Amino acid sequence: MRFTIMALALSVACAGASGVLETSKARTVEALTVRHLPNPVPVSSAPDAAKNGKKKVYIWRFRTEVRNNLDVPLRIIEFGNYSSRINGEWVLANVKRQIYTNANFSEWYVAGDKTIDGWIEPGAVAADDNNWFSDPTPVPAFRTKWVYTAEDKTGRKYRGECEVDLIPCEAGGQSSAHVDPSSLVPISGKVVGADGTPPSYAQVRLAGANRHYDRALEISVAGKNGEFSIRAPKPGWYYLFVYSPGYDSALIPVVLRAEDASVTMTVRPVPRDPKGAAGVDDLPEVTFGAGNSVLESTWRIEQALIRTEEARSKALAKWIAAHGSSQGFRFSDSRLEKSMSVAEREMRGAGDIAVRQYAVLSLASMSMIRGESEVAEALKIIPPSSPVWSDYAYLPGRLLASCGKEFATRTLNDFVEQSPDRKIQAKCLANLAENAHAEGDSACEARYYGRLKAQYGDVAAIRGVLEDLDPQKSTALGNPVPGFEVRLVNGSVVSDKSLRGKYCLIDFWSTWCGPCVGEMKYLHEANKRFKGRNLSILSVSFDKDPKDVPKFRKGKWKLPWLNAVLEGGSDSDMAKKFGVRGIPSPFLIGPDGFILASGTSLRGKELERTLKRHLADSR
């Protein structure tokens, strides 16, 4: 088996993080020092790399050392690899979400001083020469650190940790050789650290408007003086991703107009907070050169966007922790709303059209443009015929979700007929087909589906919709439910045959799936509303640990109906028979065993409407 192995560079966020003695007294004792070092040994495939099949894998290898700084022996009792989420929470990063044990430490940490049963003698260093990190992208999405807990012979506990700072892969930038040289605009500048001097390393990646900086258009590694240089075709919308060890990454919008000749800037990233994510006011400083006033305006909008998104994400995390789901969450912060008004003023102002368009896309991506009047205003600035939509194919559907059926249908058709981009045409036609499916309008759905398959079957972005709405697939409406048999959490077994004679709502879900948990409110309301109406609900979980579902049911949502944990999850025979590609994925089966509804028509507020339509005469 052959793997693409790249990007072996590694930096350490903290040269050595010391552990402290955990006691009830207000004192600390340096105990453990943890550090990660680049491993010069040539890279080979990872131990479990075979599970990745033929997918490209990026692997970083390094040596991890754990030093005992005390004058008594210390025994590592547990340790783990954690990653940081946007709300600053550190969670276990391994696949099974399990902590490693003393036995694992004794087996793996054998490269340094000799240890017996995980005991590290005073002043000794236990080391693992084969620590590694893999990711399907050249830019790891999350921060990662290793945390160790030790104890002495009296049972006192000690803790040590150190973050691993992974430098993004320097390979993979696309060539501009096929681009007309006269259209290339030089983007140059300098990266400086907190003290104003160049950092030890800085990497700048040019990404398209879709922000896929893991698929860089061009990559520049700054020189010792912190200077970098990149080129991009004009006109165009781009983002610069700036990375430097010990700093939070910076994402800077770059809007190039036909009249732009060059772009210059100085970037001062924010020093990384070792405890987690930075606050909403901790944003990089970006200074643009003369003649780049448009970029100054788009950067102000981006700052407002970042502040609002980070604050909303943190508020949502707190809400979910307190309430068990996102249902009922409303985000409101006067300071941030005032900050977001920057984008609104730019959108409605008389400034450069590129700035106004950037403001529209920023507000739309945050779902801050709602209702027919606001959407109509936005479409005057970026009409359906504009090529600006090309990198935001998902946005027309999102914008129009807040509008009435007639307005949404008419406008989606405008995009289909007027957009110069086939991907936009396909996505909007797919939206029309999905809307018809949700409304139960089989005639419109068939008409839209036929055109979608005939004219846009080669567009990758809508292949999932073609599969979901395929009238020939086994789970198409009107087809018999696929045969299945599944064991419930109480030990009994149910099957398609045992449920015959009742309406059955089958919901594929998982406790770790945010949208799935978000549907719990509607499922419970439906269960209460249609109780005694010959309806059974079967929740089929994709959780890897069967204990997760009973644990979840002890919380806010009790799921007082049939529950099963499907061994193999999405790879199981049952999931494949039902064509489940993502969750939540609900299906409504009639008493005769035929499929009555599926997908969005059984989610959110649509669930009650759909059940009411089918169970009207059922008692």
Side-chain angles (χ1 to χ4, degrees), residues 530-585:
F530 296 95
K531 192 173 183 178
R533 300 281 288 275
N534 199 31
L535 173 68
S536 291
I537 299 178
L538 170 61
S539 287
V540 182
S541 169
F542 281 4
D543 282 276
K544 292 183 178 180
D545 189 343
K547 297 178 183 178
D548 287 344
V549 171
K551 182 179 179 181
F552 180 87
R553 296 176 70 193
K554 291 179 181 179
K556 179 178 180 179
W557 305 114
K558 306 304 179 184
L559 285 73
W561 50 72
L562 304 176
N563 286 274
V565 178
L566 195 57
E567 185 176 354
S570 59
D571 293 326
S572 65
D573 288 340
M574 182 176 180
K576 290 179 179 178
K577 285 182 179 179
F578 277 80
V580 178
R581 296 186 300 108
I583 52 177
S585 186

Side-chain angles (χ1 to χ4, degrees), residues 460-503:
I462 54 91
R463 286 175 186 162
V465 177
L466 288 175
E467 291 178 10
D468 289 342
L469 302 184
D470 184 357
Q472 302 302 317
K473 75 173 185 176
S474 61
T475 53
L477 303 190
N479 283 356
V481 62
F484 70 89
E485 184 176 277
V486 64
R487 185 172 299 278
L488 303 179
V489 293
N490 63 9
S492 60
V493 175
V494 296
S495 66
D496 59 302
K497 294 183 177 61
S498 67
L499 294 171
R500 193 69 57 88
K502 295 183 177 181
Y503 289 92

